[in-house]
Amino acid sequence: METVPLKLVTIVAEPVLEERLTGELRRLGARGWTVTESRGEGSRGIRASDIPGSGVRIETVVSATVADAILGHVARQYFPRYAVIAYVTTVDVVRGDKYV
Amino acid sequence: METVPLKLVTIVAEPVLEERLTGELRRLGARGWTVTESRGEGSRGIRASDIPGSGVRIETVVSATVADAILGHVARQYFPRYAVIAYVTTVDVVRGDKYV
Amino acid sequence: METVPLKLVTIVAEPVLEERLTGELRRLGARGWTVTESRGEGSRGIRASDIPGSGVRIETVVSATVADAILGHVARQYFPRYAVIAYVTTVDVVRGDKYV
Amino acid sequence: MNEILKANLLSPIALAFALGIVTKLIRSEFSLPKDIYTGLSVYLLFALGIKGGVELGHAQFASVIWPVGATLLLGCITPLTAYGTLRYLGRFSVADAAGIAAHYGSVSAVTYIAATTFVKGMGAEPEGFMPTLLTLLESPGIHIALALGAIKTASADRDIKHVLHEVLTARTMVLLVGGLLIGFLMGEKNWGSIEGFFDSKGPIFKGVLTVFLLEMGIVAGSRLGDLKKVGPFLLAFGMLMPLVHGALGAWLGTLAGLSVGGATVLGTMAASASYIAAPPAVRVTLPDANPTYYLTSSLAITFPFNILVGIPVYFQVAQWLHA
Amino acid sequence: MNEILKANLLSPIALAFALGIVTKLIRSEFSLPKDIYTGLSVYLLFALGIKGGVELGHAQFASVIWPVGATLLLGCITPLTAYGTLRYLGRFSVADAAGIAAHYGSVSAVTYIAATTFVKGMGAEPEGFMPTLLTLLESPGIHIALALGAIKTASADRDIKHVLHEVLTARTMVLLVGGLLIGFLMGEKNWGSIEGFFDSKGPIFKGVLTVFLLEMGIVAGSRLGDLKKVGPFLLAFGMLMPLVHGALGAWLGTLAGLSVGGATVLGTMAASASYIAAPPAVRVTLPDANPTYYLTSSLAITFPFNILVGIPVYFQVAQWLHA
Amino acid sequence: MNEILKANLLSPIALAFALGIVTKLIRSEFSLPKDIYTGLSVYLLFALGIKGGVELGHAQFASVIWPVGATLLLGCITPLTAYGTLRYLGRFSVADAAGIAAHYGSVSAVTYIAATTFVKGMGAEPEGFMPTLLTLLESPGIHIALALGAIKTASADRDIKHVLHEVLTARTMVLLVGGLLIGFLMGEKNWGSIEGFFDSKGPIFKGVLTVFLLEMGIVAGSRLGDLKKVGPFLLAFGMLMPLVHGALGAWLGTLAGLSVGGATVLGTMAASASYIAAPPAVRVTLPDANPTYYLTSSLAITFPFNILVGIPVYFQVAQWLHA
Ligand SMILES: Nc1ncnc2c1ncn2[C@@H]1O[C@H](COP(=O)(O)O)[C@@H](O)[C@H]1O
Ligand SMILES: Nc1ncnc2c1ncn2[C@@H]1O[C@H](COP(=O)(O)O)[C@@H](O)[C@H]1O
Ligand SMILES: Nc1ncnc2c1ncn2[C@@H]1O[C@H](COP(=O)(O)O)[C@@H](O)[C@H]1O
Ligand code: NA
Ligand code: NA
Ligand code: NA
């Protein structure tokens, strides 16, 4: 099965940010995303759980450049003042061309 | 801690396919799987959310050959007509021999 | 966007173990974690689903050494008698220094 | 007629449904949690079944047999009329036509409940065994349409048996058929002890129904955006097909000896389109059928049409037929 | 006896429970959402507690003290009889024997509610302070059995204190004990304003109970498949142990001066097996105990047995003892 | 006064709320599922709106206009008094002051319901159009405080329009305003058919409210730990600000011609702090505002204060003002 190596970006953030983040992902070039409800703790742990619902875990499969843009955006826009974590890894995607 | 490098296959699909997919995973050699509820958007985004429940995210840790078989199956069977995404990555698994 | 390579440890376990596990993660050096509800099957599949709620999927971004300690602990403490799976992979984390 | 229409439009359930649609129009993010929605529907269906079972105890075989026949007949005709209309007049693909037909061949329990509540309000008490007919109309239409689609397309890539089993053992069937049995077996005395909770004429049932229709309005409203996508034919189909099926149902019901109330409810059943049992069944059996078509027509066109306009019309028709 | 059995089997809750089992037998995927299930149980337990608290206000100390003693005695005896039977007759491992004993030493609130509803239906009003006894019987049995298992196996790898705290502060305890206090404090006038909602003799309580037992039937039904795995001994144990504990409870209750209704309910409590508080406590304290054993015996054998057969039997026994 | 306080503290809802707090104090993990919590709040708000709409039908314009004015005035004053106090007396940052002010400028529907139930119990029936006032007081305060914060800090990194839209179309608004319309339109006869379910004086409403306050107690209780973090000033603010706003509201209400009951309820509205609509709005508009401050003060200080002590006080004040 031939696949395409792409970037899987994972962002865990406060629920109030979901709509905003997914909208920005689109603008930054993501073709889609998958959201799962989550709860968790971190350095500002209390924050995340302050707003009921505690957390959303957003995953998006994108090209390396788009991934970089997304991480940069999250770092600038949200890291300073919201409960967020974001990381990226490489995945081999079926019909990967669809997502770039 | 010595671990075994294996493949982690992730499939996000329409909920109506869950039972079918997990059954097929078994047949293709997977020893287990983990399912989480999800929602999301994609190229055929609307589709996925058409059927209430929107999405299931299925993860299975398998050997490289089984992973290949699964991805191939998904690509043939579901990609053309269902809202699906599938990708694979390498993970180091505790007691990995259990899953091959 | 410069990132720090870290380890993403994923543990899927029986819900009754959640509180215990997260407490132990802290002690072993994790700075935070993200939990998502899950269901699944495995070799002792029946077990996991025996206790209602079936499964919790715990993810934690940590340093390589902490990751090793966590996996070792899980292998010793839980593998023999609980329904658990644990694996680790490498991820590039935004502001990664925060999590080590 | 206007009087009846007005009475219906000002009923709590119609108003709640309208509010739900408005909620979506103002782009509010409010909606009932999925589990609450399920819980309420479980209550409504179960109450319906139990009450039906209790009253079934009073019915004699003779009075039930003809209506049962009429119902099964409707279950066979409606999917075919729908399929034919869509395929040959509407030029829809086999998969799309069969997929949509599966919805119109089955029935919407909520529409049924709304009709029952309406005719009771009009003083035209329907026969006690109507819930029994509802259970009979649920699945045949889906089966016929899916079979049709599966035969005519190679694409039915899943053993249809499994799908039919799912339809037959779905929530609606379990609660209605099971409720019927429970109501039938437990007898009057036991019914008395829970009537205050399950009685479909009581305030709890009507209150829950009102809240439920608020959510239905939100669900339907969230599909309004797709109306553009489905095109004028399906738009017309979603309102005219129910009128045809509704009149046919009211007529067959009258022939079978049903009262005005009963005939109205049977007509409404025939006119209604399933949006719970049918969609997943169609999705897995006919993946080439476009969900936007069958979900929008059944949920965003036919359901509101029946709730707001159709039911009073079928009632009117039933009255004429009985005149 | 047959009369009583029949009356019980045709009660809405028994029929709903049976329907739930059938639902699983026909391999339907229907079940109540987990949150709805929780919500209903919260209502049932809270209503039980409040009503109990209101009636506790009328009871005088003297009449309560002996039944309390009898209850605590049962809490200490039943886990031991269960453990002994399983360990020495059944040859189960220490962990398995202790794990199962923890379930039979505790109590199933739903079974308690079913018994209360049954005896009231039989015109044998139980004492108002019964809910108080329920709270007393909840935890001792679990503690004793777990301690037994922890001592006899090195494997209790978690400080038992924590587990006991969880049992003592679990949903059931909070709602029952809390409800008792609320009911006790608020007084008649306030009770009057909410009686229509919480009264355990009213239609809402009975209706909710019916829906709840439908789900319980589904839960129990989903374990029937494991009956093969547990072997004949546990199968017999799941039906004979309750009979022994039930008779014992009814006897001690009668000695303690409880009415026929009260003795029946106390007997049922002793006969019932916990499947809410006990499982997680056992899982974390005795991981070597096989969950299939304790869950199947308490949920798929003893619970149905008590609901369908046991309760009328304990009632019969209580009547004999009072004759 | 003591009499009234006692009566309030022994009411089912106050006791249930206290139980919820105790539940957290004993570190129990019990809490109502989130969806059940939402479902109950939907019922309470919807019932409130519908009943209000029905009674609005009886009110004449003249009697409504002044109270409406008083309410809007309160909506403009309270956020400013709160902001000023926090910023200049409490030395809070602009973001924190504005964030907290947004909560105190808005209203807590549950506190409103508790007040209504209380005054009705005291025989001081409030005006039928009070729910209308509740909807008017919901959003202005939030808007004003957020605008204030946005202007004074560069940090409002999101177009405020969007946020205001979210507040205006939130659950509370949809159900209250929508309910009002439905109640207003459907007329007496239809109301009669669902009154047994929705009537805010009936046992179902009061029962649901009791369960709901149990959960509110748990939510508030889970924040008690943060009381240390917020410091003495906010602690005092959380109890004194409500007294000021409560007295002001009761006074303006009396001037506007409201009865003792009506003035009490309006005072309570002014005294209450929003913890549903405000938090997310503040979080996205003023990210620099510390959620621990505004959530703890509104949920763990002001809400309990009003439920347990405030409401009777405002009632007392209203009586004096009418004497
Ligand atoms: N080290 C970590 N590993 C996994 N998830 C984390 C970690 N740190 C934080 N998170 C997640 O990110 C959210 C916000 O974290 P923080 O901003 O550090 O409070 C938390 O609620 C967790 O869900
Ligand atoms: N680029 C992506 N990244 C992550 N998830 C995706 C992506 N594209 C699609 N998905 C998921 O796959 C489902 C089906 O996508 P599609 O088939 O493109 O409509 C969506 O509902 C998403 O949950
Ligand atoms: N091969 C696998 N891939 C993914 N998840 C698994 C796998 N095996 C087990 N799991 C998860 O781990 C839990 C316990 O597995 P086990 O201990 O094998 O019964 C299951 O409920 C699954 O959620
Ligand atoms: Na139909
Ligand atoms: Na017992
Ligand atoms: Na206020």
Side-chain angles (χ1 to χ4, degrees):
Chain A
M1 185 62 213
E2 116 286 329
T3 55
V4 182
L6 290 170
K7 295 297 177 183
L8 171 65
V9 178
T10 305
I11 305 171
V12 180
E14 301 176 33
V16 287
L17 298 180
E18 177 177 350
E19 195 189 344
R20 232 163 124 182
L21 274 167
T22 49
E24 289 159 350
L25 290 183
R26 268 244 189 273
R27 246 169 282 122
L28 292 168
R31 298 297 176 82
W33 55 80
T34 299
V35 180
T36 51
E37 300 284 339
S38 74
R39 56 181 180 275
E41 268 184 47
S43 59
R44 295 155 301 189
I46 182 67
R47 276 245 194 129
S49 61
D50 259 347
I51 309 296
S54 69
V56 286
R57 187 173 172 286
I58 306 173
E59 289 174 308
T60 180
V61 172
V62 294
S63 68
T65 46
V66 173
D68 208 57
I70 293 173
L71 294 185
H73 176 75
V74 170
R76 274 190 313 283
Q77 198 68 3
Y78 300 105
F79 245 73
R81 299 181 301 181
Y82 291 99
V84 187
I85 183 172
Y87 48 83
V88 60
T89 179
T90 304
V91 290
D92 298 313
V93 185
V94 175
R95 306 272 170 95
D97 43 307
K98 218 186 102 179
Y99 308 102
V100 293
Chain B
M1 183 63 211
E2 115 286 329
T3 56
V4 181
L6 290 171
K7 294 297 178 185
L8 171 66
V9 177
T10 305
I11 305 170
V12 180
E14 302 175 33
V16 287
L17 299 179
E18 177 177 351
E19 195 189 345
R20 231 163 125 181
L21 274 166
T22 49
E24 289 160 349
L25 290 184
R26 268 244 190 274
R27 246 171 282 121
L28 291 167
R31 298 298 174 84
W33 56 81
T34 299
V35 180
T36 50
E37 300 284 340
S38 74
R39 57 182 180 271
E41 268 186 45
S43 60
R44 294 155 301 189
I46 182 66
R47 276 245 194 131
S49 62
D50 259 347
I51 310 296
S54 67
V56 286
R57 187 173 172 286
I58 307 174
E59 288 174 309
T60 180
V61 173
V62 293
S63 68
T65 46
V66 173
D68 208 57
I70 292 172
L71 294 185
H73 176 76
V74 170
R76 274 190 313 282
Q77 199 68 1
Y78 300 106
F79 244 73
R81 298 181 301 181
Y82 291 99
V84 188
I85 183 171
Y87 49 83
V88 60
T89 179
T90 304
V91 290
D92 298 314
V93 185
V94 175
R95 305 273 171 95
D97 43 307
K98 220 187 102 178
Y99 308 102
V100 292
Chain C
M1 182 62 213
E2 116 286 329
T3 56
V4 181
L6 289 171
K7 294 296 177 183
L8 171 65
V9 178
T10 304
I11 305 170
V12 179
E14 303 176 32
V16 288
L17 299 179
E18 177 177 351
E19 195 189 344
R20 232 164 124 181
L21 274 167
T22 50
E24 289 159 351
L25 290 184
R26 267 242 190 275
R27 246 170 283 121
L28 292 168
R31 299 297 175 83
W33 56 80
T34 299
V35 180
T36 50
E37 300 284 338
S38 74
R39 55 183 182 274
E41 268 186 45
S43 61
R44 294 155 302 190
I46 182 70
R47 276 243 194 130
S49 63
D50 260 346
I51 310 296
S54 69
V56 286
R57 188 173 172 287
I58 306 174
E59 288 174 308
T60 180
V61 173
V62 293
S63 68
T65 47
V66 173
D68 208 57
I70 292 173
L71 294 184
H73 175 75
V74 170
R76 273 190 314 282
Q77 199 67 4
Y78 300 105
F79 244 73
R81 299 180 301 181
Y82 291 98
V84 187
I85 184 170
Y87 48 83
V88 60
T89 179
T90 304
V91 291
D92 298 313
V93 185
V94 175
R95 305 272 170 96
D97 43 307
K98 216 187 103 178
Y99 308 102
V100 293
Chain D
M1 188 63 207
N2 282 339
E3 269 322 299
I4 303 176
L5 263 177
K6 183 148 166 297
N8 184 55
L9 289 176
L10 292 183
S11 70
I13 64 180
L15 289 170
F17 181 74
L19 173 59
I21 290 180
V22 173
T23 304
K24 270 302 166 196
L25 292 182
I26 61 172
R27 303 200 321 290
S28 164
E29 279 167 17
F30 166 66
S31 87
L32 232 55
K34 191 166 154 298
D35 288 353
I36 297 294
Y37 171 89
T38 307
L40 296 183
S41 69
V42 166
Y43 164 78
L44 292 171
L45 293 165
F46 201 36
L48 212 64
I50 294 177
K51 182 76 181 292
V54 172
E55 295 187 343
L56 198 58
H58 309 151
Q60 54 267 81
F61 189 71
S63 65
V64 184
I65 187 68
W66 283 110
V68 164
T71 307
L72 292 177
L73 193 58
L74 284 166
C76 303
I77 297 172
T78 53
L80 300 177
T81 49
Y83 179 83
T85 314
L86 292 158
R87 183 88 181 94
Y88 303 110
L89 285 182
R91 299 248 167 286
F92 279 87
S93 74
V94 169
D96 283 328
I100 303 171
H103 290 66
Y104 287 80
S106 183
V107 55
S108 150
V110 182
T111 313
Y112 163 91
I113 296 174
T116 314
T117 311
F118 174 81
V119 293
K120 281 178 179 171
M122 287 289 145
E125 191 71 23
E127 280 72 6
F129 53 75
M130 296 309 290
T132 320
L133 305 186
L134 178 61
T135 63
L136 295 176
L137 197 52
E138 173 100 21
S139 51
I142 299 180
H143 300 184
I144 291 169
L146 290 187
L148 210 66
I151 294 157
K152 297 208 162 200
T153 62
S155 85
D157 62 8
R158 186 178 199 192
D159 68 310
I160 205 146
K161 264 225 200 64
H162 185 98
V163 174
L164 300 195
H165 172 263
E166 272 181 7
V167 171
L168 279 170
T169 62
R171 190 165 73 213
T172 322
M173 293 303 272
V174 167
L175 291 164
L176 282 176
V177 178
L180 280 167
L181 288 170
I182 292 180
F184 186 81
L185 291 171
M186 74 184 170
E188 283 298 340
K189 184 172 152 304
N190 281 316
W191 168 244
S193 71
I194 55 174
E195 182 171 11
F197 184 71
F198 286 117
D199 183 11
S200 52
K201 278 167 123 169
I204 296 180
F205 186 91
K206 285 182 177 163
V208 170
L209 184 58
T210 307
V211 176
F212 191 79
L213 268 119
L214 169 61
E215 177 62 16
M216 285 306 305
I218 293 172
V219 175
S222 62
R223 303 215 136 268
L224 290 181
D226 292 346
L227 286 181
K228 297 177 235 47
K229 300 189 195 155
V230 301
F233 185 88
L234 206 51
L235 209 72
F237 174 89
M239 297 189 271
L240 299 180
M241 196 78 256
L243 286 176
V244 176
H245 287 166
L248 179 68
W251 179 60
L252 286 177
T254 310
L255 287 184
L258 287 177
S259 66
V260 170
T264 305
V265 174
L266 185 60
T268 306
M269 285 195 226
S272 73
S274 160
Y275 46 80
I276 291 178
V282 172
R283 187 71 186 116
V284 292
T285 327
L286 303 169
D288 294 324
N290 182 348
T292 307
Y293 289 161
Y294 52 76
L295 287 169
T296 307
S297 56
S298 59
L299 257 172
I301 306 172
T302 300
F303 183 76
F305 175 78
N306 280 327
I307 294 293
L308 304 175
V309 181
I311 294 173
V313 172
Y314 313 138
F315 179 65
Q316 194 57 263
V317 171
Q319 283 183 316
W320 286 328
L321 290 164
H322 278 73
Chain E
M1 186 65 207
N2 283 338
E3 269 323 298
I4 304 176
L5 262 177
K6 184 148 164 299
N8 183 55
L9 289 175
L10 292 183
S11 70
I13 64 180
L15 289 170
F17 181 73
L19 173 59
I21 289 180
V22 173
T23 303
K24 270 300 165 194
L25 292 182
I26 60 172
R27 303 199 321 291
S28 164
E29 279 167 19
F30 166 66
S31 87
L32 232 55
K34 191 166 154 298
D35 288 353
I36 297 293
Y37 171 89
T38 308
L40 296 183
S41 69
V42 166
Y43 164 78
L44 292 170
L45 293 165
F46 202 36
L48 213 64
I50 295 177
K51 181 77 180 290
V54 172
E55 295 188 343
L56 199 58
H58 310 152
Q60 55 267 82
F61 189 71
S63 66
V64 184
I65 186 69
W66 283 110
V68 165
T71 306
L72 294 176
L73 192 59
L74 285 167
C76 303
I77 297 172
T78 53
L80 299 177
T81 50
Y83 180 83
T85 315
L86 292 159
R87 183 88 182 94
Y88 303 110
L89 285 183
R91 300 248 165 288
F92 279 87
S93 74
V94 169
D96 283 329
I100 303 171
H103 290 65
Y104 286 81
S106 182
V107 56
S108 149
V110 182
T111 313
Y112 163 90
I113 296 174
T116 313
T117 311
F118 174 80
V119 293
K120 281 178 178 170
M122 287 288 146
E125 191 72 24
E127 280 72 6
F129 53 74
M130 295 309 290
T132 320
L133 305 186
L134 178 61
T135 62
L136 296 175
L137 196 53
E138 174 100 20
S139 52
I142 299 180
H143 299 185
I144 292 169
L146 291 187
L148 211 67
I151 295 157
K152 297 207 163 200
T153 61
S155 85
D157 61 9
R158 188 178 198 194
D159 70 310
I160 206 148
K161 264 226 201 62
H162 184 98
V163 173
L164 300 196
H165 172 263
E166 273 181 6
V167 172
L168 279 170
T169 62
R171 189 167 73 215
T172 322
M173 294 303 273
V174 168
L175 291 164
L176 282 175
V177 178
L180 280 167
L181 288 171
I182 292 179
F184 187 81
L185 291 171
M186 75 183 168
E188 284 298 339
K189 184 171 155 304
N190 281 315
W191 168 243
S193 71
I194 54 173
E195 183 170 10
F197 184 71
F198 286 118
D199 183 12
S200 52
K201 278 168 124 169
I204 296 180
F205 187 91
K206 285 181 177 163
V208 170
L209 185 59
T210 307
V211 176
F212 191 79
L213 267 119
L214 169 61
E215 177 63 16
M216 284 306 306
I218 293 172
V219 175
S222 63
R223 304 214 134 269
L224 290 180
D226 292 346
L227 286 180
K228 297 177 234 48
K229 300 189 195 156
V230 302
F233 185 88
L234 206 51
L235 209 71
F237 174 88
M239 297 189 270
L240 299 179
M241 197 78 255
L243 286 176
V244 175
H245 287 166
L248 180 68
W251 179 59
L252 287 177
T254 309
L255 288 184
L258 287 177
S259 66
V260 171
T264 305
V265 174
L266 185 61
T268 306
M269 285 194 226
S272 73
S274 161
Y275 46 79
I276 291 177
V282 172
R283 187 71 185 119
V284 292
T285 327
L286 303 169
D288 295 324
N290 181 348
T292 306
Y293 290 161
Y294 52 75
L295 286 169
T296 307
S297 56
S298 59
L299 257 174
I301 306 173
T302 299
F303 182 75
F305 175 78
N306 281 327
I307 294 293
L308 303 175
V309 181
I311 294 172
V313 172
Y314 313 138
F315 178 65
Q316 193 57 262
V317 172
Q319 283 183 317
W320 285 329
L321 290 165
H322 278 72
Chain F
M1 187 63 208
N2 283 337
E3 269 322 298
I4 303 175
L5 263 177
K6 184 148 165 298
N8 183 55
L9 288 176
L10 291 183
S11 71
I13 63 180
L15 289 169
F17 181 73
L19 173 59
I21 290 180
V22 173
T23 302
K24 271 302 166 194
L25 292 182
I26 61 173
R27 303 199 321 289
S28 165
E29 278 167 19
F30 165 66
S31 86
L32 232 54
K34 191 164 152 299
D35 289 353
I36 297 294
Y37 171 90
T38 307
L40 296 182
S41 69
V42 166
Y43 164 78
L44 293 171
L45 293 165
F46 202 36
L48 212 65
I50 295 178
K51 181 76 180 292
V54 172
E55 295 187 343
L56 198 58
H58 309 151
Q60 54 268 82
F61 189 70
S63 66
V64 184
I65 187 67
W66 284 110
V68 165
T71 306
L72 294 176
L73 192 59
L74 284 166
C76 303
I77 297 172
T78 53
L80 300 178
T81 51
Y83 179 82
T85 315
L86 292 160
R87 183 86 181 97
Y88 303 111
L89 285 182
R91 300 245 166 290
F92 278 88
S93 73
V94 169
D96 283 328
I100 302 171
H103 290 66
Y104 287 80
S106 182
V107 57
S108 150
V110 182
T111 312
Y112 163 90
I113 296 174
T116 313
T117 311
F118 174 80
V119 293
K120 281 179 178 169
M122 287 289 146
E125 190 73 22
E127 280 71 7
F129 53 74
M130 295 310 290
T132 320
L133 305 187
L134 178 61
T135 62
L136 296 176
L137 197 52
E138 174 100 19
S139 51
I142 299 181
H143 299 186
I144 291 168
L146 290 187
L148 211 66
I151 295 157
K152 298 207 166 203
T153 61
S155 85
D157 62 7
R158 188 176 198 194
D159 69 310
I160 206 147
K161 266 226 200 63
H162 185 98
V163 173
L164 300 195
H165 172 263
E166 273 182 6
V167 171
L168 279 171
T169 62
R171 190 166 72 213
T172 321
M173 294 303 274
V174 168
L175 291 165
L176 282 176
V177 178
L180 280 167
L181 288 171
I182 292 180
F184 186 80
L185 291 171
M186 74 184 171
E188 283 298 339
K189 184 172 153 305
N190 280 315
W191 168 243
S193 71
I194 53 174
E195 182 170 10
F197 184 70
F198 286 118
D199 182 11
S200 52
K201 277 168 123 170
I204 296 180
F205 187 90
K206 285 183 176 160
V208 170
L209 185 58
T210 308
V211 176
F212 192 79
L213 268 118
L214 169 62
E215 177 62 16
M216 284 307 305
I218 293 172
V219 175
S222 62
R223 305 213 134 269
L224 290 181
D226 292 346
L227 286 180
K228 297 176 233 50
K229 300 187 195 157
V230 302
F233 185 88
L234 206 51
L235 209 71
F237 174 88
M239 297 190 269
L240 299 180
M241 197 78 255
L243 286 177
V244 176
H245 287 165
L248 179 69
W251 179 60
L252 286 177
T254 310
L255 288 185
L258 288 176
S259 66
V260 170
T264 306
V265 174
L266 185 60
T268 306
M269 285 194 224
S272 72
S274 160
Y275 47 79
I276 291 178
V282 172
R283 187 72 186 117
V284 291
T285 327
L286 303 169
D288 294 325
N290 182 349
T292 306
Y293 289 161
Y294 52 75
L295 287 170
T296 306
S297 56
S298 59
L299 257 173
I301 306 173
T302 299
F303 182 76
F305 175 77
N306 280 327
I307 294 294
L308 304 174
V309 180
I311 295 173
V313 172
Y314 313 138
F315 178 64
Q316 194 58 260
V317 172
Q319 282 183 317
W320 286 327
L321 290 165
H322 278 72

